[in-house]
Amino acid sequence: MNQLKKTLVIGTGDTALQVARHLAAAGVAVITADGRPGIPGATPEPLSSTGTAGIEVLSAARLERCEGFIGAFQVVLSANGQKMRHDVGSIIVAEAARRLANHTALGLKASASVQSLSDFRRRLADAPDPKFAALDGRTVVFLNGLAQESTPVIAEEIMQTALELQNLPDVRTYVLTANLKVAGQGLEALYHRTKEAGVLFIKFSANRPQIDQTEDGRVTIIFADEVSGLTIRLHPDVTVVDETIVPSEELQRFSRILDIDIDEDGFLQTENVHRWPVFTNRRGILAAGPARAVLLPDEAKADAAAAAAAVLGPTYESKAAPITARIQFGKCIRCLTCYRLCPYRSIQKAERITVAPEACEGCGICAAECPRSAITMGESGHPFELQLGQITAPAATADFWFPAFCCSRSAARAAELAANLNLKLPSGLKVVEVPCAGALSVRHILTALTGGAAGVLVLSCHPDNCHSERGNLLVRQRIALIGDQLGRMGENPERLQGYSLAANMPREFADTVRCFEQNLRQLKTDSQRGNNDQ
Amino acid sequence: MPEQTVLIVGGGIAGLTAANRLADMKISSILVEKQRVIGGYAGGYACKATDACVKCGACLVVEASRSVLANPAVEVITGGRLTTVERSGRFRFAIRQASSDTGEDLAREADAVILACGFQPFDPRSKPYGYGRFANVITNLELERMLRDQSIPLRPSDHRTPDQIAFVQCVGSRDRQLGHLWCSKVCCASALRLARLIKTRCPQVDVTFFYIDIQTFGKDFQDFLSRIKQEFTMVRALPGDVFAAEGDRLRIAYFDPGNRKAREDLCDLLILSVGITPDAENLQLARQFHLTPKPSGFWPISTAAGVFCAGTVCGPMSIAESIVSGEQAALQAAEYIRDARQAEGMKSELKNQSAPGGAELK
């Protein structure tokens, strides 16, 4: 298949610009759309004026539709009432974040003497010299993190601004802060410079200052200082209210159109370590900088590079899953179970339901859940299915053995490490690697249980750590279902157990399999004793 | 033309990420790691999942190491150090390998260099917390190792499970006296996650947490914070002194900000969250690559043409940030190689044009 490198970069702001420049310099055609129609000056630095060849700028273009998959997306953008179709290989969302001033939460109303951090900084930057003339007085109080936990981004801006003010004649600057967020390059050094310049930092742990505002907008702040115990009363001429950084509202729409997961706060990357740094649940769609998290400028810049590197590295050629799902036309009844379950959106709905192998990560969830068994992994099934046949063949019946189905991303790696560390493992243990624990169907588990094994162990990733989002949860449901049935059939449901592990848990792997083995042996002894009693 | 190659110094998560990404971009690499195994510090960290993954990312090192080792485009040299570096067009360097039988250095060449040579955990013996004097005072890295190897914390003095543990944050970080004007960024997340892991596995353990400011981490930080405030005793102060107490216990003296009075608490195990500091061993490398560290001692992300720095050698970073940093360095190196090639191509084109005869002779 002819796969496109051409990339659509969506977003206003520095990160989108940086991504576009990296890609254009590498000879990759780039289209940028700023996503917000009709907002003049939405792009801080217009791309068209940067003169970078290879970047097609669609100012005020809006993403309307997206179909296809990595290497072959068809997107529809609209601008000035016109719709245009573009074929692109990848899509990078780098939409700038918004800021909400914390006035309400602090019980304050915006006025000349109560300003948001952004407004105040803008006013100060625009003020002619002498800058202090722009202040309606000489006492300035910054409020930081008192309503909601602050961020290094806001802390940096507050400290920079306070430092600048403190250096003006006769200005007295206070920073009233809860946890001061200095987890960013150079921020602790900035904090010290700011303190040395004479800015007073007053820290609050459990208590908060009492902040009152009169009708005419004047503010009084009263608090007991935690260090000295003294009650202090401040009458600031200007109160600067901190801001909470929130994702662009557009991301909700992008999430819908691009069919990608969104987190509770509205950022385009659910917190799953397998999506680090800039990946989403769909191949070829990336979220960089302010579209995925609150980041400092340098961190967002690194994100832009990571997103460009992900496009330039031929991930969809070299990283294609070795085995992908196939739907057998005759068997499929278009129930769309696979479509609903595929975490990577690789199922294509057309006249026939098909799988786009480029988009498939080979997790096997669809094959395990298809009610018609119409989906196979690869031509002849996943290797673990063949292994399943082998270990259940009569020839392989050692007197006591059990398979541990291990997710390739976690438990199988832990098993490898355990073996390398020479940890003691049961002799009857057969480690069977599966692409994702979610690939194990009810049928697979039953085959293993009825093939002579003493029991079956399923080891998945921890909740919230599944590359395919819910493969681990799906298999847990199946285990519960089978366990239930085993109980009703008079079998001991403890013969089937599921646990979660991580790749770096070799010790826990060894403990888990040993413990399971002991349990199985106990069960065997108990049932033999039971038989003898009868 | 020789194959495009990048020298990567350091096999921690930043270096591993860079090697993997360069291979994706069809650029081979030589990864030199001074330890016997790759993976770096994060390679030895414990999984901190409680009822669900807490997103520390330590498990990712396993996969990153594995794909580097399986990648034919990456030559991994462990137990190796650069002895000489020369630059005449390409970088030419010699690597001494500890395991070498012949004692001869390996000679290699590269078009660009990524220095991802990591950090040095702060040595807390100079602080008044009793490290090195009392067996039950350990660092967060030692606790990581302990939890990875044996799942639960045990007091080094008697291998018993502690009832009271305390964490001291910012040991060697945010410390003006030491001249360490930086926050190590990762210790709040790491210590609080470790504390919750211990609490999950040993519910009887009481945790006290000494800190200056709690730094944000993770997406559900606000929730996490309110939960830990209920579970742990949070003290916004750093202890002044630690003394030995009966039964190998420790007496922690501090100024209680609650009532502004001096106070002493007992604990069985004290964990010091030691900071990320510049590694003095890296100075040799800095000299070899004519690189000037920043006043803090950490390195800038790019310096001389073709030399890029990534990961914690540039400053404190989490695993997630080190991954981004490794990606960034991979792209910078690829861009540098591409631009150098283009410049070379243009030069030779010019040469051809100005050469007497040339095209007209045909």
Side-chain angles (χ1 to χ4, degrees), chain A residues 444-461:
Chain A
H444 291 140
I445 297 171
L446 286 175
T447 310
L449 270 174
T450 54
V456 170
L457 189 58
V458 178
L459 299 174
S460 69
C461 298

Side-chain angles (χ1 to χ4, degrees), chain A residues 22 25-26 148-150 178-185 188-189 191-192 196 203-205 226-229 263 265 267 269 271 273 276-277 279 292 299 302-303 305-306 308-309 312-315 318-319 413 416-417 462-465 502-505 507-508, chain B residues 21 24-26 45-47 49 51-53 55-60 62-63 66 147-151 174 176 181-183 185 201 211-216 218-222 225 236 257 260 294 314-317 319-321 323-324 327-328 331 335 338:
Chain A
H22 280 303
Q148 208 165 1
E149 285 291 314
S150 180
N179 284 314
L180 186 67
K181 306 293 179 174
V182 287
Q185 289 259 356
E188 176 70 7
Y191 171 51
H192 279 273
E196 275 157 20
K203 289 196 173 182
F204 293 86
S205 302
E226 289 181 14
V227 181
S228 62
D263 75 6
D265 298 323
F267 286 106
Q269 194 186 45
E271 202 176 26
V273 295
W276 288 353
F279 301 99
R292 73 168 182 105
E299 295 167 354
D303 246 37
L312 295 174
T315 43
S318 64
K319 294 276 178 72
R413 303 288 71 83
E416 253 172 20
L417 290 177
H462 292 308
D464 296 346
N465 184 293
N504 55 342
M505 295 178 90
R507 162 81 195 211
E508 286 82 358
Chain B
R21 188 57 74 205
D24 285 345
M25 294 192 277
K26 299 204 164 61
Y45 294 167
C47 169
D51 50 340
C53 170
K55 322 330 174 179
C56 74
C59 58
L60 299 176
V62 179
E63 190 58 47
R66 198 167 175 266
L147 290 174
R148 174 143 172 173
D149 292 347
Q150 60 203 28
S151 301
R174 305 190 69 183
R176 202 217 299 252
L181 295 185
W182 62 82
C183 157
K185 289 175 84 172
R201 292 184 180 166
Y211 70 101
I212 302 177
D213 291 292
I214 296 179
Q215 302 303 320
T216 307
K219 289 201 167 187
D220 51 358
F221 177 71
Q222 203 100 26
L225 196 61
R236 198 178 194 176
R260 291 183 307 286
K294 293 188 281 190
C314 303
M317 285 187 195
I319 293 173
E321 285 174 273
I323 291 174
V324 184
E327 301 263 4
Q328 184 179 30
L331 184 75
E335 287 180 339
R338 183 195 66 219

